[in-house]
Amino acid sequence: MPERDVPYLCELAAQLRVDSVRSSAAAGSGHPTSSLSAADLMAVLFAHHLRYDFDDPDNPANDHLIFSKGHASPLLYALFKAAGAITDEEMLTFRKRGSRLEGHPTPRLPWVDVATGSLGQGLPVGVGVALAGRRLDHLPYHVWVLCGDSELAEGSIWEAAEHAAYEGLANITAIIDVNRLGQRGPTRHGWDTGAYARRFGAFGWHTIEVDGHDPGEIDYALSDARKTRRRPTVILARTRKGEGVNAVENREGAHGKPLKDPEHAIYELGGDRGVTVKVSPPDSSRPPHVFDSGPTEWPVFEVGTKAATRTAYGAALKALGAARGDIVAVDGEVADSTKSEEFAHAFPERFFECYIAEQEMVATAVGLQVRRWVPYVSTFAAFLTRAHDFIRMGGVSGANVRIVGSHAGVSIGEDGPSQMGLEDLAMLRAVHGSTVLYPCDANQTAALVTTMADIPGISYLRTTRGDTPVIYDPGERFPVGGSRVLRHSPDDRATVIAAGVTVHEALAAADALKAEGVSVGVVDMYSIKPVDQAVLIEAATTTGNLITVEDHRPEGGLGDAVLDAVSELGPRVIKLTVRGLPGSATPAEQLADAGIDKDAIMAAVRRLL
Amino acid sequence: MPERDVPYLCELAAQLRVDSVRSSAAAGSGHPTSSLSAADLMAVLFAHHLRYDFDDPDNPANDHLIFSKGHASPLLYALFKAAGAITDEEMLTFRKRGSRLEGHPTPRLPWVDVATGSLGQGLPVGVGVALAGRRLDHLPYHVWVLCGDSELAEGSIWEAAEHAAYEGLANITAIIDVNRLGQRGPTRHGWDTGAYARRFGAFGWHTIEVDGHDPGEIDYALSDARKTRRRPTVILARTRKGEGVNAVENREGAHGKPLKDPEHAIYELGGDRGVTVKVSPPDSSRPPHVFDSGPTEWPVFEVGTKAATRTAYGAALKALGAARGDIVAVDGEVADSTKSEEFAHAFPERFFECYIAEQEMVATAVGLQVRRWVPYVSTFAAFLTRAHDFIRMGGVSGANVRIVGSHAGVSIGEDGPSQMGLEDLAMLRAVHGSTVLYPCDANQTAALVTTMADIPGISYLRTTRGDTPVIYDPGERFPVGGSRVLRHSPDDRATVIAAGVTVHEALAAADALKAEGVSVGVVDMYSIKPVDQAVLIEAATTTGNLITVEDHRPEGGLGDAVLDAVSELGPRVIKLTVRGLPGSATPAEQLADAGIDKDAIMAAVRRLL
């Protein structure tokens, strides 16, 4: 960098600081001090290193910039203004009702890849974007992630560090704004950038320690990061929170508050001079790589045989992978159990092994979908709870991610409660914009797996460990929001609503009751969210007696979905669910002990009538 | 260690291997190969280093042993048998219905502190136990945690590593069974113990690399670990999965399966010779430290004023801390927001700052309660999703942990959706054995915080960011499972069920409707789980029209709890909840936009009538 650039970079940084102060003053809230510390870092990045076309945010060649420290949104919006993407007027709508400039950035803004604000998520997601660049798009775009120092305490950062280094991602740079102060007070390591460098270095990263307010050092570090081969780079920048404004500079108690005297702060910063920045566009000459799509053989399971729905997931995912080159799979070192290994063996270049790091696993998928890939993520349903916050934020981002949780419920048998997904339906139903599916047979699973490819937002499919009878013909259609009435007669005195493994218990119960002269209907409610309200209303008004039966806790699952759908009609509803704490036992014993097997359903019907 | 001890240690290890093979053969499932790799490590630990009285598992001076790799349960149970804690007959009930020897260990066994099986949790919890020893009990017990190498990919391990080193916990030793093979295949680093040593070393741990099948090296390492001062120790033991049985030794595809030919394996291992081990009891001469308990001034908020429930939480926690020396508090670097800083300032020795690491935060609390301390854990409700799996496993453990989530709902205002706890009620209600509370005023909060101290299992209290009117007198009682009828008359045409911030909206709506001549009842449903079914049934049978209103997603919250309670009566129920994706706006605008404010309630009443 020529020496003559320094004055401009300082002016640009001052402008970013001025605008951060102005927007948070206008809002009456926000995080100006956390913005001031990173202004020099971002000024140099925008002026000299970022390759981005703000007029074409969908350009595949664009670099990616993720503010992992999402609370520094005033700085991000000041950058957008300096780059000409938003007006000064819009910038001053910060945090106001209806503004797309929210307290923490979301993809309502076309230049924002993912929502941040829950700390420790931007870097893990950035790793996913970088993986897309290196392994899928085959494009040289660079991923820049601005992190705070406080968020380095999050384990998800180290899952990301391990993943990025192991995959040799030289196309990602973490820029750590080491401003020493967290929300409540000093961080564990203060300005000891060496402490962080040792950690990142041990994880295999290239580390650079700089003065985060020296444009020359920053410029050198960013150049070095872009040029580094075979491993990711972390720039540990020693900065001062509130830099440039004496009243708050490097002071405790100034986190997350607008400045008391913004006018004086702007004066101190040299005034509002309207400095802008010209961001260089990327080299768009090379289109992203495309994987072959082609004809495929869809998996077929013969009615009357038995097969595990997780097996059908594996087979369907592999078939889908052959049909569509944009399908990718992500797993957490249990692909032999979830059966995504079928896909992994067929399409190793589109399979992402995240090892036992479920947060990074979901973050990887979120990152891949940023670049329009179509990820399926699988692990045990129980261990998805590990990634709950990432799934929640995926919902806020509107991320299109398909999640498949295997080994659901007590029906896994001997392994015991630690391995049983018993809260997954509650967790996934409560995610904004989610779809929740729970098939009972292999052909239904295959159909739903295929359908999921085009479901927007977070979608979830729950699979079962053991074999279940195949009851549907191959090729049948199962629309989202639908259900299947499996037993029905005008004599029905109750209707059993089941999903997954309990469908087969319900059928057995209905058949046994029939033999006793009691007729009950059975509905396969494979779509838990949205739920088939029409069929439920029909059942509620005809039989008036509903029994829901699910391999899940009483709260937030199938039973609650049914109650919600029929609440205005007032049928009598009995919920059969897993209420106790299971131990080890065979699958059949588990279903019996939980009171969700054939006998329990029959007893519930008798109780109801 | 004298050379003459080696033959015995080898025999003991062989016996542990034989018993691991026998129990999993009898069960027909389980993880013998993951047990075989760690047998030498545990043989030396039990014979020479563990200080534990198996006849008195509640002895405060006992060391603690946590199998973070819970799937190595056959080895753990073989150790219990060798130490005389269980019989051979019981050992062979492994994984059978009704046996306390489950697939993964749980505290149904008195020598097991916490349930494991979800990987990456044992070390974080062990750090909590070690913190209790160093900072609360002032006892020299040592915490030994056996980890697998695969689970080192979990970010929670690195949260624990950071926490333990920062706190200078020399009383914890992580023993890593580096057997190179995960479930699906090789781990990232294989036998490169140096890769792990660099990472732990960078995080501030004392590291020792050993041959995990050499009793002499193991003994030296364990001695060194016990003697090390000022920092935790990690022993990185290079082992072979399936060690001692040729058919599975160091082979892929042998994870989580009983051996095909157990008899031959036992023969190879030298046969079943009934070797036992005498574990030395601890020095019990010193009782655990006790903090002063005493009289206290309970916080008082005047009716008619306004105060935030989070403020009341802070005040009540401080008062409780003065009243009871066993109360401790844990926070995730937001104590100034959650208000647990009141307690932190008053009782710094009983306050645990976990920085922004929510998994380690909950794990710390679980570890502290292992030693009978009474932890309150607080962070933003939204960020509790980060620790969902730890809370879930806490439920499996029957851990007595009080969780307080602040900044619930859209009512936080401008910060936007990333900071809004909108799924917390669904998450916490679905946890086994949980209690869920949601107060609407400061005095109610103070009462419930006090009550929580004696609630077994996982209990949760939800607090609000902004000030709410004080409507209850100080000192009023609010039993778990109760509710308060705030408006009621024989003319009521509907009943509004609210909790927390919406109680005040409901009261305002009822009063405005009253002025219009429409009488509606209002219930403050501060106990969401268990819910006051009697009051709901009364409302359902008298008015027949219920309106639930909550600052939460439609799934799994107050509305669903109400529907579940009255499902057999069939009242008409309208659920007012947060259905869209909020942006930034003022708290009042947020409540209006979500349709859960006074006007929305009035509109719902009109719609219903």
Side-chain angles (χ1 to χ4, degrees), chain A residues 80-116:
Chain A
F80 289 164
K81 181 198 135 184
I86 62 171
T87 63
D88 189 66
E89 194 181 4
E90 180 170 15
M91 193 186 72
L92 296 177
T93 67
F94 178 50
R95 285 177 164 250
K96 295 209 172 76
R97 185 189 214 169
S99 171
R100 54 182 186 165
L101 305 185
E102 299 184 48
H104 296 79
T106 74
R108 279 177 185 161
L109 289 162
W111 320 284
V112 172
D113 285 336
V114 288
T116 52

Coordinates of all heavy atoms in Angstrom, one line a residue, chain A residues 80-116:
Chain A
F80 N -22.2 0.3 4.3 CA -23.1 0.2 3.2 C -23.4 1.6 2.6 O -23.5 1.8 1.4 CB -24.4 -0.5 3.6 CG -24.3 -1.9 3.9 CD1 -25.3 -2.6 4.6 CD2 -23.2 -2.7 3.4 CE1 -25.3 -4.0 4.8 CE2 -23.1 -4.1 3.7 CZ -24.2 -4.7 4.4
K81 N -23.5 2.6 3.5 CA -23.7 3.9 3.0 C -22.5 4.4 2.3 O -22.6 5.0 1.2 CB -24.0 4.8 4.2 CG -24.3 6.3 3.8 CD -24.2 7.3 4.9 CE -23.4 8.5 4.4 NZ -23.2 9.5 5.5
A82 N -21.3 4.2 2.9 CA -20.1 4.7 2.3 C -19.9 4.1 0.9 O -19.4 4.7 -0.1 CB -18.9 4.4 3.1
A83 N -20.4 2.8 0.7 CA -20.2 2.2 -0.6 C -21.3 2.5 -1.5 O -21.4 2.0 -2.6 CB -20.2 0.6 -0.3
G84 N -22.3 3.3 -1.1 CA -23.3 3.8 -2.0 C -24.5 2.8 -2.0 O -25.4 3.0 -2.9
A85 N -24.6 1.8 -1.2 CA -25.6 0.8 -1.3 C -26.9 1.4 -0.6 O -28.0 1.0 -1.0 CB -25.2 -0.5 -0.6
I86 N -26.8 2.2 0.4 CA -28.0 2.8 1.1 C -27.7 4.3 1.2 O -26.6 4.7 1.1 CB -28.3 2.2 2.5 CG1 -27.1 2.5 3.4 CG2 -28.6 0.7 2.4 CD1 -27.4 2.1 4.9
T87 N -28.8 5.0 1.3 CA -28.7 6.5 1.5 C -28.4 6.8 3.0 O -28.7 6.0 3.9 CB -30.0 7.2 1.0 OG1 -31.0 6.7 1.9 CG2 -30.3 6.8 -0.4
D88 N -28.0 8.1 3.2 CA -27.9 8.6 4.5 C -29.2 8.6 5.2 O -29.3 8.2 6.4 CB -27.3 10.0 4.5 CG -26.9 10.5 5.9 OD1 -25.9 9.9 6.5 OD2 -27.6 11.4 6.4
E89 N -30.2 8.9 4.5 CA -31.6 8.9 5.0 C -32.0 7.6 5.6 O -32.5 7.4 6.7 CB -32.5 9.4 3.9 CG -33.9 9.8 4.5 CD -34.8 10.2 3.3 OE1 -34.4 10.1 2.1 OE2 -35.9 10.6 3.5
E90 N -31.7 6.5 4.8 CA -32.1 5.2 5.2 C -31.2 4.8 6.4 O -31.7 4.2 7.4 CB -31.9 4.1 4.1 CG -32.3 2.8 4.6 CD -32.4 1.7 3.6 OE1 -31.9 1.9 2.4 OE2 -33.0 0.6 3.9
M91 N -30.0 5.2 6.4 CA -29.1 4.8 7.5 C -29.7 5.3 8.8 O -29.6 4.6 9.9 CB -27.7 5.4 7.3 CG -26.7 4.7 8.3 SD -25.1 5.5 8.1 CE -25.4 7.1 8.9
L92 N -30.3 6.5 8.8 CA -30.8 7.0 10.0 C -32.2 6.4 10.4 O -32.8 6.8 11.4 CB -30.9 8.6 9.9 CG -29.5 9.2 9.7 CD1 -29.7 10.7 9.5 CD2 -28.6 8.9 10.8
T93 N -32.7 5.5 9.7 CA -33.9 4.7 10.1 C -33.5 3.5 11.0 O -34.4 2.8 11.4 CB -34.7 4.1 8.9 OG1 -33.9 3.1 8.3 CG2 -35.1 5.2 7.9
F94 N -32.2 3.4 11.3 CA -31.6 2.3 12.1 C -32.5 2.0 13.3 O -32.9 2.9 14.1 CB -30.2 2.8 12.5 CG -29.5 1.8 13.4 CD1 -29.4 0.4 13.1 CD2 -28.9 2.2 14.6 CE1 -28.7 -0.4 13.9 CE2 -28.2 1.4 15.4 CZ -28.1 0.0 15.1
R95 N -32.9 0.8 13.4 CA -33.6 0.2 14.6 C -35.1 0.8 14.7 O -35.7 0.6 15.7 CB -32.9 0.6 15.9 CG -31.7 -0.3 16.1 CD -30.9 0.1 17.4 NE -30.0 -1.0 17.8 CZ -30.1 -1.8 18.8 NH1 -31.2 -1.6 19.6 NH2 -29.3 -2.8 19.1
K96 N -35.5 1.4 13.6 CA -36.9 1.9 13.7 C -37.9 1.0 13.1 O -37.5 0.2 12.2 CB -37.0 3.3 13.0 CG -36.2 4.4 13.8 CD -36.8 5.8 13.6 CE -36.1 6.8 14.5 NZ -34.8 7.2 14.0
R97 N -39.1 1.0 13.5 CA -40.1 0.1 13.0 C -40.2 0.1 11.5 O -40.3 1.2 10.9 CB -41.5 0.5 13.6 CG -42.6 -0.4 13.3 CD -43.9 0.4 13.7 NE -44.9 -0.5 14.2 CZ -46.0 -0.1 14.8 NH1 -46.2 1.1 15.1 NH2 -46.9 -1.0 15.2
G98 N -40.2 -1.0 10.9 CA -40.3 -1.1 9.4 C -39.0 -1.0 8.7 O -38.9 -1.3 7.5
S99 N -37.9 -0.5 9.4 CA -36.6 -0.4 8.7 C -36.0 -1.7 8.5 O -36.1 -2.6 9.4 CB -35.7 0.5 9.5 OG -34.4 0.5 9.0
R100 N -35.3 -1.9 7.4 CA -34.5 -3.1 7.2 C -33.2 -3.0 7.9 O -32.4 -4.0 7.9 CB -34.4 -3.5 5.7 CG -33.8 -2.4 4.9 CD -33.8 -2.7 3.4 NE -33.1 -1.7 2.6 CZ -32.6 -1.8 1.4 NH1 -32.7 -2.9 0.8 NH2 -32.0 -0.8 0.8
L101 N -32.9 -1.9 8.4 CA -31.6 -1.7 9.2 C -31.9 -2.1 10.7 O -32.1 -1.2 11.5 CB -31.0 -0.3 9.1 CG -30.8 0.1 7.6 CD1 -30.1 1.5 7.6 CD2 -30.0 -0.9 6.8
E102 N -31.9 -3.3 10.9 CA -32.3 -3.8 12.3 C -31.2 -3.7 13.3 O -30.0 -3.5 12.9 CB -32.8 -5.2 12.2 CG -34.0 -5.4 11.3 CD -34.5 -6.9 11.3 OE1 -34.7 -7.4 12.4 OE2 -34.7 -7.4 10.2
G103 N -31.5 -3.9 14.5 CA -30.5 -3.8 15.6 C -29.4 -4.8 15.3 O -28.2 -4.5 15.7
H104 N -29.6 -5.9 14.8 CA -28.6 -6.8 14.3 C -28.9 -7.2 12.9 O -30.1 -7.3 12.5 CB -28.6 -8.1 15.2 CG -28.2 -7.8 16.7 ND1 -29.1 -7.3 17.5 CD2 -27.1 -7.9 17.3 CE1 -28.6 -7.1 18.7 NE2 -27.3 -7.5 18.6
P105 N -27.9 -7.3 12.0 CA -28.2 -7.5 10.6 C -28.9 -8.8 10.3 O -28.7 -9.8 10.9 CB -26.8 -7.6 10.0 CG -25.8 -7.3 11.1 CD -26.5 -7.4 12.4
T106 N -29.8 -8.7 9.3 CA -30.5 -9.9 8.8 C -30.5 -9.8 7.3 O -30.3 -8.7 6.7 CB -32.0 -10.0 9.3 OG1 -32.7 -9.0 8.6 CG2 -32.1 -9.7 10.8
P107 N -30.8 -10.9 6.6 CA -30.8 -10.9 5.1 C -32.0 -10.2 4.5 O -32.2 -10.2 3.3 CB -30.9 -12.4 4.8 CG -30.5 -13.1 6.0 CD -30.9 -12.3 7.2
R108 N -32.7 -9.4 5.3 CA -33.7 -8.5 4.7 C -32.9 -7.5 3.9 O -33.4 -6.9 2.9 CB -34.4 -7.7 5.8 CG -35.6 -8.5 6.3 CD -36.4 -7.8 7.5 NE -37.4 -8.7 8.0 CZ -38.0 -8.6 9.2 NH1 -37.6 -7.6 10.0 NH2 -38.9 -9.4 9.6
L109 N -31.6 -7.3 4.2 CA -30.7 -6.5 3.4 C -30.0 -7.5 2.4 O -29.4 -8.5 2.8 CB -29.6 -5.9 4.3 CG -30.2 -4.7 5.2 CD1 -29.2 -4.5 6.3 CD2 -30.4 -3.5 4.4
P110 N -30.0 -7.1 1.1 CA -29.5 -8.0 0.1 C -28.0 -8.3 0.2 O -27.5 -9.3 -0.4 CB -29.9 -7.4 -1.2 CG -30.1 -5.9 -0.9 CD -30.6 -5.9 0.5
W111 N -27.3 -7.5 1.0 CA -25.8 -7.7 1.1 C -25.5 -8.5 2.3 O -24.3 -8.6 2.7 CB -25.1 -6.3 1.1 CG -25.7 -5.4 0.1 CD1 -25.6 -5.4 -1.3 CD2 -26.7 -4.4 0.3 NE1 -26.4 -4.5 -1.9 CE2 -27.0 -3.8 -0.9 CE3 -27.3 -3.8 1.5 CZ2 -28.0 -2.7 -1.0 CZ3 -28.2 -2.8 1.4 CH2 -28.5 -2.3 0.2
V112 N -26.5 -8.9 3.1 CA -26.2 -9.7 4.3 C -26.6 -11.1 4.0 O -27.7 -11.5 3.6 CB -27.1 -9.1 5.5 CG1 -27.0 -10.0 6.7 CG2 -26.6 -7.7 5.8
D113 N -25.6 -12.0 4.2 CA -25.8 -13.4 3.9 C -26.7 -14.1 5.0 O -27.5 -14.9 4.6 CB -24.4 -14.2 4.0 CG -23.6 -13.9 2.7 OD1 -24.2 -13.5 1.7 OD2 -22.4 -14.0 2.8
V114 N -26.4 -13.8 6.2 CA -27.1 -14.5 7.3 C -27.3 -13.5 8.5 O -26.6 -12.6 8.7 CB -26.4 -15.7 7.9 CG1 -26.4 -16.9 6.9 CG2 -24.9 -15.4 8.2
A115 N -28.4 -13.8 9.2 CA -28.6 -13.0 10.5 C -27.6 -13.4 11.5 O -27.2 -14.5 11.7 CB -30.0 -13.4 11.0
T116 N -27.1 -12.3 12.2 CA -26.1 -12.6 13.3 C -26.7 -11.8 14.5 O -27.7 -11.1 14.4 CB -24.7 -12.1 12.9 OG1 -24.7 -10.8 12.4 CG2 -24.1 -13.1 11.9

